[in-house]
Each structure stands twice: as C-alpha cells, then as structure tokens.
Coordinates of all heavy atoms in Angstrom, one line a residue:
M166 N 0.8 -1.2 0.0 CA 0.0 0.0 0.0 C 0.9 1.2 0.0 O 1.8 1.4 0.8 CB -0.9 0.0 1.2 CG -1.8 1.1 1.3 SD -3.0 0.8 2.7 CE -3.8 2.3 2.8
T167 N 0.6 2.2 -0.9 CA 1.4 3.4 -1.0 C 1.0 4.4 0.1 O -0.2 4.6 0.3 CB 1.2 4.1 -2.4 OG1 1.4 3.2 -3.4 CG2 2.0 5.3 -2.5
P168 N 2.0 4.9 0.8 CA 1.7 5.8 1.9 C 1.0 7.1 1.4 O 1.4 7.6 0.2 CB 3.0 6.1 2.6 CG 4.1 5.7 1.7 CD 3.4 4.7 0.7
K169 N 0.1 7.7 2.1 CA -0.5 8.9 1.7 C 0.5 10.1 1.7 O 1.3 10.2 2.5 CB -1.6 9.2 2.8 CG -2.4 10.5 2.4 CD -3.5 10.7 3.4 CE -4.2 12.0 3.1 NZ -5.2 12.3 4.1
K170 N 0.4 10.9 0.6 CA 1.2 12.0 0.5 C 0.6 13.2 1.3 O -0.3 13.8 0.9 CB 1.4 12.4 -1.0 CG 2.1 11.3 -1.7 CD 2.2 11.7 -3.2 CE 2.8 10.6 -4.0 NZ 1.9 9.5 -4.3
S171 N 1.2 13.5 2.5 CA 0.6 14.5 3.3 C 1.6 15.6 3.6 O 1.2 16.6 4.3 CB 0.1 13.9 4.6 OG 1.2 13.3 5.3
E172 N 2.9 15.5 3.3 CA 3.9 16.5 3.6 C 4.0 17.5 2.4 O 3.8 17.1 1.3 CB 5.2 15.8 3.9 CG 5.2 14.9 5.0 CD 4.7 15.5 6.3 OE1 5.2 16.6 6.7 OE2 3.9 15.0 7.0
T173 N 4.3 18.7 2.8 CA 4.5 19.7 1.7 C 5.9 20.3 1.9 O 6.5 20.2 2.9 CB 3.5 20.8 1.8 OG1 3.6 21.5 3.1 CG2 2.1 20.3 1.7
L174 N 6.4 21.0 0.8 CA 7.6 21.6 0.8 C 7.4 23.0 0.1 O 6.8 23.1 -0.9 CB 8.6 20.8 -0.1 CG 10.0 21.5 -0.4 CD1 10.8 21.5 0.9 CD2 10.7 20.6 -1.4
E175 N 7.8 24.0 0.8 CA 7.6 25.4 0.3 C 9.0 26.0 0.0 O 10.0 25.9 0.7 CB 7.0 26.3 1.4 CG 6.7 27.7 1.0 CD 6.0 28.5 2.0 OE1 5.3 27.9 2.9 OE2 6.1 29.7 2.0
I176 N 9.1 26.5 -1.2 CA 10.3 27.2 -1.7 C 10.0 28.6 -2.2 O 8.9 28.8 -2.6 CB 11.1 26.4 -2.8 CG1 10.2 26.3 -4.0 CG2 11.5 25.0 -2.2 CD1 11.0 25.7 -5.2
R177 N 10.9 29.5 -2.1 CA 10.7 30.8 -2.6 C 11.6 31.0 -3.8 O 12.8 30.7 -3.7 CB 11.1 31.8 -1.5 CG 10.2 31.7 -0.2 CD 10.5 32.7 0.8 NE 10.3 34.0 0.4 CZ 9.1 34.7 0.5 NH1 8.1 34.0 0.9 NH2 9.0 35.9 0.1
L178 N 11.1 31.6 -4.8 CA 11.8 31.9 -6.0 C 11.1 33.0 -6.8 O 10.0 33.3 -6.5 CB 12.0 30.6 -6.9 CG 10.7 29.8 -7.3 CD1 10.6 29.7 -8.7 CD2 10.8 28.5 -6.6
S179 N 11.8 33.5 -7.8 CA 11.3 34.6 -8.5 C 10.1 34.1 -9.4 O 10.0 33.0 -9.8 CB 12.4 35.2 -9.4 OG 12.7 34.3 -10.5
H180 N 9.3 35.1 -9.8 CA 8.1 34.8 -10.6 C 8.6 34.2 -12.0 O 8.1 33.2 -12.5 CB 7.3 36.0 -10.9 CG 6.1 35.8 -11.8 ND1 5.0 35.0 -11.5 CD2 6.0 36.1 -13.1 CE1 4.2 34.9 -12.5 NE2 4.8 35.6 -13.5
A181 N 9.7 34.8 -12.5 CA 10.2 34.4 -13.8 C 10.7 32.9 -13.7 O 10.5 32.1 -14.6 CB 11.4 35.3 -14.3
A182 N 11.4 32.6 -12.6 CA 12.0 31.2 -12.5 C 10.8 30.2 -12.3 O 10.8 29.2 -13.0 CB 12.9 31.2 -11.3
K183 N 9.8 30.6 -11.6 CA 8.6 29.7 -11.4 C 7.9 29.5 -12.7 O 7.6 28.4 -13.1 CB 7.7 30.3 -10.4 CG 6.4 29.4 -10.2 CD 5.4 30.0 -9.4 CE 4.1 29.1 -9.4 NZ 3.0 29.8 -8.9
T184 N 7.7 30.6 -13.5 CA 7.0 30.5 -14.8 C 7.8 29.6 -15.7 O 7.2 28.8 -16.4 CB 6.8 31.9 -15.3 OG1 6.1 32.7 -14.4 CG2 6.1 31.9 -16.7
A185 N 9.1 29.8 -15.8 CA 9.9 29.0 -16.7 C 9.9 27.5 -16.3 O 9.8 26.6 -17.1 CB 11.4 29.5 -16.7
F186 N 10.0 27.2 -14.9 CA 9.9 25.9 -14.5 C 8.6 25.2 -14.8 O 8.5 24.1 -15.3 CB 10.2 25.8 -12.9 CG 10.0 24.5 -12.4 CD1 10.8 23.4 -12.7 CD2 8.9 24.2 -11.5 CE1 10.7 22.2 -12.2 CE2 8.8 22.9 -10.9 CZ 9.6 21.9 -11.3
M187 N 7.5 25.9 -14.6 CA 6.2 25.4 -14.9 C 6.0 25.1 -16.4 O 5.4 24.1 -16.8 CB 5.1 26.4 -14.4 CG 5.0 26.6 -12.9 SD 4.8 25.1 -12.0 CE 3.1 24.8 -12.3
E188 N 6.6 26.0 -17.2 CA 6.5 25.7 -18.7 C 7.3 24.5 -19.0 O 6.9 23.7 -19.9 CB 7.0 27.0 -19.4 CG 7.0 26.8 -20.9 CD 5.7 26.4 -21.5 OE1 4.6 26.9 -21.0 OE2 5.6 25.6 -22.4
R189 N 8.5 24.3 -18.4 CA 9.3 23.1 -18.7 C 8.5 21.8 -18.3 O 8.6 20.8 -18.9 CB 10.6 23.2 -18.0 CG 11.6 24.2 -18.6 CD 12.9 24.3 -17.8 NE 13.7 25.3 -18.3 CZ 14.6 25.2 -19.2 NH1 14.9 24.0 -19.8 NH2 15.4 26.2 -19.6
C190 N 7.9 21.9 -17.2 CA 7.1 20.8 -16.7 C 6.0 20.5 -17.7 O 5.8 19.3 -18.1 CB 6.5 21.0 -15.3 SG 7.7 21.0 -14.0
R191 N 5.2 21.5 -18.1 CA 4.2 21.3 -19.1 C 4.7 20.7 -20.4 O 4.2 19.8 -21.0 CB 3.5 22.6 -19.5 CG 2.3 23.0 -18.5 CD 1.5 24.1 -19.1 NE 2.3 25.4 -19.0 CZ 2.4 26.1 -17.9 NH1 1.9 25.7 -16.8 NH2 3.1 27.2 -17.9
A192 N 5.9 21.2 -20.9 CA 6.5 20.7 -22.1 C 6.9 19.2 -21.9 O 6.9 18.4 -22.9 CB 7.7 21.5 -22.5
A193 N 7.3 18.8 -20.7 CA 7.7 17.4 -20.4 C 6.5 16.5 -20.1 O 6.7 15.3 -20.0 CB 8.7 17.4 -19.3
G194 N 5.3 17.1 -20.0 CA 4.1 16.3 -19.7 C 4.0 15.8 -18.3 O 3.4 14.8 -18.0
V195 N 4.6 16.6 -17.3 CA 4.5 16.2 -15.9 C 4.1 17.5 -15.1 O 4.3 18.6 -15.6 CB 5.9 15.7 -15.3 CG1 6.3 14.4 -16.0 CG2 7.0 16.7 -15.5
T196 N 3.5 17.2 -14.0 CA 3.2 18.3 -13.1 C 4.4 18.8 -12.3 O 5.4 18.0 -12.2 CB 2.1 18.0 -12.1 OG1 2.6 17.0 -11.2 CG2 0.8 17.4 -12.8
A197 N 4.4 20.0 -11.8 CA 5.5 20.4 -11.0 C 5.7 19.5 -9.8 O 6.9 19.1 -9.4 CB 5.3 21.9 -10.5
S198 N 4.7 19.1 -9.2 CA 4.8 18.1 -8.0 C 5.4 16.8 -8.4 O 6.3 16.3 -7.7 CB 3.4 17.9 -7.4 OG 2.9 19.0 -6.8
E199 N 5.0 16.3 -9.6 CA 5.6 15.0 -10.1 C 7.1 15.2 -10.3 O 7.9 14.3 -10.0 CB 4.9 14.6 -11.4 CG 3.5 14.1 -11.1 CD 2.8 13.8 -12.4 OE1 3.1 14.5 -13.5 OE2 1.9 13.0 -12.4
A200 N 7.5 16.3 -11.0 CA 8.9 16.5 -11.3 C 9.7 16.7 -10.0 O 10.8 16.0 -9.9 CB 9.0 17.8 -12.1
L201 N 9.3 17.4 -9.0 CA 10.0 17.6 -7.8 C 10.0 16.3 -7.0 O 11.1 15.9 -6.5 CB 9.3 18.7 -6.9 CG 9.5 20.1 -7.5 CD1 8.6 21.1 -6.8 CD2 11.0 20.5 -7.4
R202 N 8.9 15.6 -6.9 CA 8.8 14.4 -6.2 C 9.8 13.3 -6.8 O 10.5 12.6 -6.1 CB 7.4 13.8 -6.2 CG 7.1 12.7 -5.1 CD 5.7 12.3 -5.1 NE 4.8 13.4 -4.8 CZ 3.9 13.9 -5.7 NH1 3.7 13.3 -6.9 NH2 3.1 14.9 -5.4
A203 N 9.8 13.2 -8.1 CA 10.7 12.2 -8.8 C 12.1 12.6 -8.5 O 12.9 11.7 -8.2 CB 10.4 12.2 -10.3
H204 N 12.4 13.8 -8.5 CA 13.8 14.2 -8.2 C 14.2 13.9 -6.8 O 15.3 13.4 -6.5 CB 14.1 15.7 -8.5 CG 15.4 16.2 -8.2 ND1 16.5 15.8 -9.0 CD2 15.9 16.9 -7.2 CE1 17.6 16.3 -8.4 NE2 17.3 17.0 -7.4
I205 N 13.4 14.3 -5.9 CA 13.7 14.1 -4.4 C 13.8 12.6 -4.1 O 14.6 12.1 -3.4 CB 12.6 14.7 -3.6 CG1 12.7 16.3 -3.6 CG2 12.7 14.3 -2.1 CD1 11.6 17.0 -3.1
E206 N 12.9 11.8 -4.7 CA 12.9 10.3 -4.5 C 13.9 9.6 -5.3 O 14.0 8.4 -5.2 CB 11.5 9.8 -4.7 CG 10.5 10.3 -3.7 CD 9.0 9.9 -3.9 OE1 8.8 9.4 -5.0 OE2 8.2 10.3 -3.1
G207 N 14.6 10.3 -6.2 CA 15.6 9.6 -7.1 C 15.0 8.7 -8.1 O 15.6 7.7 -8.5
Q208 N 13.7 9.0 -8.5 CA 13.1 8.1 -9.5 C 13.7 8.3 -10.9 O 14.2 9.4 -11.2 CB 11.6 8.3 -9.5 CG 10.9 7.9 -8.2 CD 9.5 8.3 -8.2 OE1 9.0 8.9 -9.1 NE2 8.8 7.9 -7.1
P209 N 13.6 7.3 -11.8 CA 14.1 7.5 -13.2 C 13.3 8.6 -13.9 O 12.1 8.9 -13.5 CB 13.8 6.2 -13.8 CG 13.5 5.2 -12.7 CD 13.0 6.0 -11.5
R210 N 13.9 9.2 -14.9 CA 13.2 10.3 -15.6 C 12.1 9.7 -16.4 O 12.1 8.6 -16.9 CB 14.2 10.8 -16.6 CG 15.4 11.5 -15.9 CD 16.3 12.2 -16.9 NE 16.8 11.3 -18.0 CZ 18.0 10.6 -17.9 NH1 18.7 10.7 -16.8 NH2 18.4 9.9 -18.9
K211 N 11.0 10.5 -16.5 CA 9.8 10.1 -17.3 C 9.9 10.5 -18.7 O 9.3 9.9 -19.6 CB 8.6 10.7 -16.7 CG 8.2 10.1 -15.3 CD 6.9 10.7 -14.9 CE 6.4 10.1 -13.6 NZ 5.1 10.5 -13.2
T212 N 10.6 11.5 -19.0 CA 10.7 12.0 -20.4 C 12.2 12.4 -20.8 O 13.0 12.4 -19.9 CB 9.9 13.3 -20.6 OG1 10.4 14.3 -19.9 CG2 8.4 13.1 -20.2
R213 N 12.4 12.6 -22.0 CA 13.7 13.0 -22.5 C 14.0 14.4 -22.0 O 15.2 14.8 -22.0 CB 13.8 12.9 -24.0 CG 13.7 11.5 -24.4 CD 13.7 11.4 -25.9 NE 14.8 12.2 -26.5 CZ 14.9 12.4 -27.8 NH1 14.0 11.8 -28.6 NH2 15.9 13.1 -28.3
R214 N 13.0 15.2 -21.6 CA 13.3 16.6 -21.2 C 13.6 16.7 -19.7 O 13.9 17.7 -19.2 CB 12.0 17.4 -21.4 CG 11.6 17.5 -22.9 CD 11.7 18.8 -23.5 NE 11.8 19.9 -22.7 CZ 12.0 21.1 -23.1 NH1 12.2 21.3 -24.4 NH2 12.1 22.1 -22.3
A215 N 13.5 15.6 -19.0 CA 13.8 15.6 -17.5 C 15.2 16.2 -17.2 O 15.2 16.9 -16.2 CB 13.6 14.2 -17.0
P216 N 16.3 15.9 -17.9 CA 17.5 16.6 -17.5 C 17.4 18.1 -17.4 O 18.0 18.7 -16.5 CB 18.5 16.1 -18.6 CG 18.0 14.8 -19.1 CD 16.5 15.0 -19.0
A217 N 16.7 18.7 -18.3 CA 16.5 20.1 -18.3 C 15.7 20.5 -17.0 O 16.1 21.6 -16.4 CB 15.8 20.6 -19.5
I218 N 14.7 19.8 -16.6 CA 14.0 20.1 -15.4 C 14.9 19.9 -14.2 O 14.9 20.8 -13.3 CB 12.7 19.1 -15.3 CG1 11.8 19.5 -16.4 CG2 12.1 19.3 -14.0 CD1 10.6 18.5 -16.5
I219 N 15.6 18.8 -14.1 CA 16.6 18.6 -13.0 C 17.6 19.7 -13.0 O 17.9 20.3 -11.9 CB 17.2 17.2 -13.1 CG1 16.1 16.2 -12.9 CG2 18.3 17.1 -12.0 CD1 16.6 14.8 -13.1
A220 N 18.1 20.1 -14.1 CA 19.1 21.2 -14.1 C 18.4 22.5 -13.6 O 19.1 23.2 -12.8 CB 19.6 21.5 -15.5
A221 N 17.2 22.7 -14.0 CA 16.5 23.9 -13.5 C 16.3 23.9 -11.9 O 16.6 24.8 -11.2 CB 15.1 24.1 -14.1
L222 N 15.9 22.7 -11.4 CA 15.8 22.5 -10.0 C 17.1 22.8 -9.2 O 17.1 23.4 -8.2 CB 15.2 21.1 -9.7 CG 13.8 20.9 -10.1 CD1 13.5 19.4 -9.9 CD2 12.9 21.8 -9.3
I223 N 18.2 22.2 -9.7 CA 19.5 22.3 -9.1 C 19.9 23.8 -9.1 O 20.4 24.3 -8.1 CB 20.5 21.4 -9.8 CG1 20.1 20.0 -9.6 CG2 21.9 21.7 -9.2 CD1 20.0 19.4 -8.2
G224 N 19.7 24.4 -10.2 CA 20.1 25.8 -10.3 C 19.3 26.7 -9.4 O 19.9 27.6 -8.7
L225 N 18.0 26.4 -9.2 CA 17.2 27.2 -8.3 C 17.6 26.9 -6.9 O 17.7 27.8 -6.0 CB 15.7 26.8 -8.5 CG 15.1 27.4 -9.8 CD1 13.7 26.8 -9.9 CD2 15.0 28.9 -9.8
A226 N 17.9 25.6 -6.6 CA 18.2 25.2 -5.2 C 19.5 25.9 -4.7 O 19.6 26.2 -3.6 CB 18.3 23.7 -5.1
I227 N 20.5 26.0 -5.6 CA 21.8 26.5 -5.1 C 21.9 28.0 -5.6 O 22.9 28.6 -5.3 CB 23.0 25.7 -5.7 CG1 23.0 25.7 -7.2 CG2 22.9 24.3 -5.1 CD1 24.2 25.0 -7.8
G228 N 20.9 28.5 -6.2 CA 20.9 29.9 -6.6 C 22.1 30.3 -7.5 O 22.7 31.3 -7.4
A229 N 22.4 29.3 -8.4 CA 23.6 29.5 -9.2 C 23.3 29.8 -10.7 O 22.3 30.5 -11.0 CB 24.5 28.3 -9.1
V230 N 24.0 29.1 -11.5 CA 24.0 29.4 -12.9 C 22.7 29.2 -13.6 O 22.3 30.0 -14.5 CB 25.1 28.5 -13.6 CG1 25.1 28.8 -15.1 CG2 26.4 28.7 -13.0
A231 N 21.9 28.2 -13.3 CA 20.7 27.9 -14.1 C 19.6 28.8 -13.9 O 18.8 29.1 -14.8 CB 20.3 26.4 -13.8
A232 N 19.4 29.4 -12.7 CA 18.3 30.3 -12.4 C 18.1 31.4 -13.4 O 17.1 31.7 -13.9 CB 18.3 30.8 -11.0
P233 N 19.2 32.2 -13.7 CA 19.0 33.3 -14.6 C 18.6 32.8 -16.0 O 17.8 33.4 -16.7 CB 20.4 34.0 -14.7 CG 21.0 33.6 -13.4 CD 20.5 32.2 -13.1
S234 N 19.1 31.6 -16.4 CA 18.8 31.2 -17.8 C 17.4 30.6 -17.9 O 16.9 30.5 -19.0 CB 19.8 30.1 -18.2 OG 19.7 28.9 -17.4
L235 N 16.8 30.3 -16.8 CA 15.4 29.8 -16.8 C 14.4 30.8 -17.3 O 13.5 30.5 -18.0 CB 15.0 29.3 -15.4 CG 15.7 28.1 -14.9 CD1 15.2 27.9 -13.4 CD2 15.4 26.9 -15.7
A236 N 14.7 32.1 -17.0 CA 13.7 33.1 -17.4 C 14.0 33.5 -18.9 O 13.2 34.2 -19.4 CB 13.9 34.3 -16.5
A237 N 15.1 33.1 -19.4 CA 15.4 33.4 -20.8 C 14.7 32.6 -21.8 O 14.0 31.6 -21.5 CB 16.9 33.3 -21.0
A238 N 14.8 32.9 -23.1 CA 14.2 32.1 -24.1 C 14.7 30.7 -24.2 O 15.7 30.4 -23.6 CB 14.4 32.8 -25.5
A239 N 14.0 29.9 -24.9 CA 14.3 28.4 -25.0 C 15.7 28.3 -25.6 O 16.4 27.2 -25.5 CB 13.3 27.7 -25.9
G240 N 16.3 29.2 -26.3 CA 17.6 29.2 -26.9 C 18.7 29.1 -25.9 O 19.8 28.8 -26.2
K241 N 18.4 29.3 -24.6 CA 19.4 29.3 -23.6 C 19.5 27.9 -22.9 O 20.1 27.8 -21.9 CB 19.0 30.3 -22.5 CG 18.9 31.7 -23.0 CD 20.3 32.4 -22.8 CE 20.2 33.8 -23.2 NZ 21.3 34.6 -22.8
V242 N 18.9 26.9 -23.5 CA 19.0 25.6 -22.9 C 20.4 25.1 -22.7 O 20.7 24.4 -21.8 CB 18.2 24.5 -23.8 CG1 18.4 23.1 -23.3 CG2 16.7 24.9 -23.7
S243 N 21.3 25.5 -23.6 CA 22.7 25.1 -23.5 C 23.3 25.5 -22.2 O 24.1 24.8 -21.6 CB 23.5 25.6 -24.7 OG 23.6 27.0 -24.7
S244 N 23.0 26.7 -21.6 CA 23.6 27.1 -20.3 C 23.0 26.2 -19.2 O 23.7 25.9 -18.3 CB 23.3 28.6 -20.1 OG 22.0 28.9 -20.0
D245 N 21.7 25.8 -19.4 CA 21.1 24.9 -18.4 C 21.9 23.5 -18.4 O 22.2 22.9 -17.4 CB 19.6 24.6 -18.7 CG 18.7 25.8 -18.4 OD1 19.2 26.7 -17.7 OD2 17.6 25.7 -18.8
R246 N 22.1 23.1 -19.7 CA 22.9 21.8 -19.8 C 24.3 21.9 -19.2 O 24.8 21.0 -18.6 CB 22.9 21.4 -21.3 CG 21.6 21.0 -21.8 CD 21.7 20.4 -23.2 NE 20.4 20.3 -23.8 CZ 19.5 19.3 -23.6 NH1 19.8 18.4 -22.7 NH2 18.4 19.2 -24.2
A247 N 24.9 23.1 -19.4 CA 26.3 23.2 -18.9 C 26.2 23.2 -17.3 O 27.1 22.6 -16.7 CB 26.8 24.6 -19.4
A248 N 25.2 23.8 -16.7 CA 25.1 23.8 -15.3 C 24.8 22.4 -14.8 O 25.4 22.0 -13.8 CB 24.0 24.8 -14.8
F249 N 24.0 21.7 -15.5 CA 23.7 20.3 -15.1 C 24.9 19.5 -15.2 O 25.3 18.7 -14.4 CB 22.6 19.7 -16.0 CG 22.2 18.3 -15.7 CD1 21.4 18.1 -14.6 CD2 22.8 17.3 -16.4 CE1 21.1 16.7 -14.3 CE2 22.4 16.0 -16.1 CZ 21.6 15.7 -15.0
A250 N 25.7 19.6 -16.4 CA 26.9 18.8 -16.6 C 27.9 19.1 -15.5 O 28.7 18.2 -15.1 CB 27.5 19.2 -18.0
K251 N 28.0 20.3 -15.0 CA 28.9 20.7 -14.0 C 28.6 19.9 -12.7 O 29.5 19.5 -12.0 CB 28.9 22.2 -13.7 CG 29.9 22.7 -12.8 CD 29.9 24.2 -12.7 CE 30.9 24.8 -11.8 NZ 30.9 26.2 -11.7
L252 N 27.3 19.7 -12.4 CA 26.9 19.0 -11.2 C 27.0 17.5 -11.4 O 27.2 16.7 -10.4 CB 25.5 19.4 -10.8 CG 25.4 20.8 -10.3 CD1 23.9 21.2 -10.2 CD2 26.1 21.0 -9.0
D253 N 26.8 17.0 -12.6 CA 26.7 15.5 -12.9 C 28.1 15.0 -13.0 O 28.6 14.7 -14.1 CB 25.9 15.3 -14.1 CG 25.6 13.8 -14.4 OD1 25.8 13.0 -13.5 OD2 25.3 13.5 -15.6
A254 N 28.8 14.8 -11.9 CA 30.2 14.4 -11.9 C 30.5 13.1 -12.6 O 31.5 13.0 -13.3 CB 30.7 14.4 -10.4
N255 N 29.6 12.1 -12.4 CA 29.9 10.8 -13.1 C 29.2 10.7 -14.5 O 29.3 9.6 -15.1 CB 29.4 9.7 -12.2 CG 28.0 9.6 -11.9 OD1 27.2 10.5 -12.5 ND2 27.5 8.7 -11.1
R256 N 28.6 11.7 -15.0 CA 28.1 11.8 -16.3 C 27.1 10.7 -16.6 O 27.0 10.2 -17.7 CB 29.2 11.8 -17.4 CG 30.2 12.8 -17.2 CD 29.7 14.2 -17.4 NE 30.7 15.2 -17.3 CZ 30.7 16.2 -16.4 NH1 29.7 16.3 -15.6 NH2 31.7 17.1 -16.4
D257 N 26.2 10.4 -15.6 CA 25.2 9.3 -15.8 C 23.9 9.9 -16.2 O 22.9 9.2 -16.4 CB 25.1 8.4 -14.6 CG 24.6 9.1 -13.4 OD1 24.5 10.4 -13.4 OD2 24.3 8.4 -12.4
G258 N 23.8 11.2 -16.3 CA 22.5 11.9 -16.7 C 21.6 12.1 -15.5 O 20.5 12.6 -15.7
V259 N 22.0 11.8 -14.3 CA 21.3 12.0 -13.1 C 22.2 12.7 -12.1 O 23.3 12.2 -11.9 CB 20.7 10.7 -12.6 CG1 20.0 10.9 -11.2 CG2 19.8 10.0 -13.6
V260 N 21.7 13.7 -11.4 CA 22.4 14.3 -10.3 C 22.0 13.7 -9.0 O 20.9 13.9 -8.6 CB 22.2 15.9 -10.3 CG1 23.0 16.5 -9.1 CG2 22.7 16.5 -11.6
S261 N 22.9 12.9 -8.4 CA 22.6 12.3 -7.2 C 22.7 13.3 -6.0 O 23.3 14.4 -6.2 CB 23.6 11.1 -6.9 OG 24.9 11.6 -6.7
F262 N 22.2 12.9 -4.9 CA 22.3 13.7 -3.7 C 23.8 14.0 -3.4 O 24.2 15.1 -3.1 CB 21.6 13.1 -2.5 CG 21.7 14.0 -1.3 CD1 20.9 15.1 -1.2 CD2 22.5 13.6 -0.2 CE1 21.0 15.9 -0.1 CE2 22.6 14.4 0.9 CZ 21.9 15.6 1.0
E263 N 24.6 13.0 -3.5 CA 26.0 13.2 -3.3 C 26.7 14.2 -4.2 O 27.5 15.0 -3.8 CB 26.8 11.8 -3.3 CG 26.4 10.9 -2.2 CD 25.1 10.2 -2.4 OE1 24.5 10.1 -3.5 OE2 24.5 9.8 -1.4
E264 N 26.3 14.1 -5.5 CA 26.8 15.1 -6.5 C 26.3 16.5 -6.2 O 27.1 17.4 -6.2 CB 26.4 14.7 -7.9 CG 27.2 13.4 -8.4 CD 26.6 12.9 -9.7 OE1 25.3 12.9 -9.9 OE2 27.4 12.5 -10.6
F265 N 25.1 16.6 -5.8 CA 24.5 17.9 -5.5 C 25.2 18.4 -4.2 O 25.6 19.6 -4.2 CB 23.0 17.7 -5.2 CG 22.3 19.0 -4.7 CD1 22.1 20.1 -5.5 CD2 22.0 19.1 -3.3 CE1 21.5 21.2 -5.0 CE2 21.4 20.2 -2.8 CZ 21.2 21.3 -3.7
R266 N 25.4 17.6 -3.2 CA 26.0 18.0 -2.0 C 27.5 18.5 -2.2 O 28.0 19.4 -1.5 CB 26.0 16.8 -1.0 CG 26.3 17.2 0.4 CD 26.2 16.0 1.2 NE 25.9 16.3 2.6 CZ 25.8 15.4 3.5 NH1 25.9 14.2 3.2 NH2 25.5 15.8 4.7
A267 N 28.2 17.9 -3.2 CA 29.6 18.2 -3.4 C 29.8 19.5 -4.2 O 30.9 19.9 -4.4 CB 30.2 17.0 -4.2
R268 N 28.7 20.1 -4.6 CA 28.8 21.4 -5.4 C 29.7 22.3 -4.7 O 30.3 23.1 -4.7 CB 27.4 22.0 -5.7 CG 26.8 22.6 -4.4 CD 25.4 23.0 -4.6 NE 24.9 23.6 -3.5 CZ 24.5 23.1 -2.4 NH1 24.5 21.8 -2.3 NH2 24.0 23.8 -1.4

C-alpha cells in the first residue's frame, strides 16, 4: 500500500523562475509536483526533457548558474545543460544527492 502524500515543501523563487519551471514541466508532460517528487525520491526520468527540469531545480536550489537562464528564451537551454553537466560528476545523466552536496 502506497503511503498517503501528506507532507509539503515550500520554496521561494522569482516569478520568472517559477514561470519557466512550470513551462518546462508542461512541455515534459509532468506536473511540478511530479517533477519535484521524482527528483527528491531519485526516480528515473519520465521523459527526455527531464535533465533540463533537473538542471533547473538544481540551479534554483543553489541559486547559481541555471536560475538566470530559466527566465530566458528556449535558446538558452545550453547554459542549463552546462550547469547540469557541472553537477553531474559521473556523467550518468542524473544528479545524485552526493553530487548535489559536493557542489
């Protein structure tokens, strides 16, 4: 039996970053909750766009490189990928908690 989802997580971010993240989730066909939950629980990606979503989350979480690019046009995906690649030390396409922590 799956435990009931009763806990919440509140984060503060700019309107532009939230709007960009929500658009990326829509484009990937997942809700914001699904994207965050999958990342936190370390579940496999649901779509090919998931690395961009994870990169966006990491950038927002550490307030670093990815956050400014989220508000930019879709042509800025390469800077998101660069930020993700910087965190993905073992190049497996997933940023583990250990890789995130080592930033």
Side-chain angles (χ1 to χ4, degrees):
M166 182 172 171
T167 305
K169 182 179 177 186
K170 294 175 183 82
S171 61
E172 299 302 312
T173 61
L174 174 67
E175 183 176 332
I176 62 169
R177 298 181 64 82
L178 52 125
S179 71
H180 176 73
K183 178 188 175 198
T184 302
F186 174 66
M187 297 301 287
E188 180 54 38
R189 289 178 187 266
C190 288
R191 272 191 291 280
V195 296
T196 66
S198 291
E199 288 170 332
L201 290 168
R202 194 177 303 115
H204 178 69
I205 290 167
E206 294 173 353
Q208 295 174 356
R210 298 184 304 268
K211 289 186 174 185
T212 69
R213 293 175 50 187
R214 301 243 347 169
I218 292 171
I219 293 171
L222 289 172
I223 298 300
L225 290 171
I227 63 176
V230 181
S234 68
L235 290 174
K241 298 268 184 166
V242 171
S243 62
S244 63
D245 289 344
R246 291 187 190 284
F249 180 83
K251 188 175 180 181
L252 292 171
D253 185 19
N255 65 1
R256 305 293 182 242
D257 65 351
V259 176
V260 175
S261 67
F262 180 73
E263 290 77 21
E264 289 170 319
F265 173 75
R266 193 177 205 183
R268 69 189 186 282

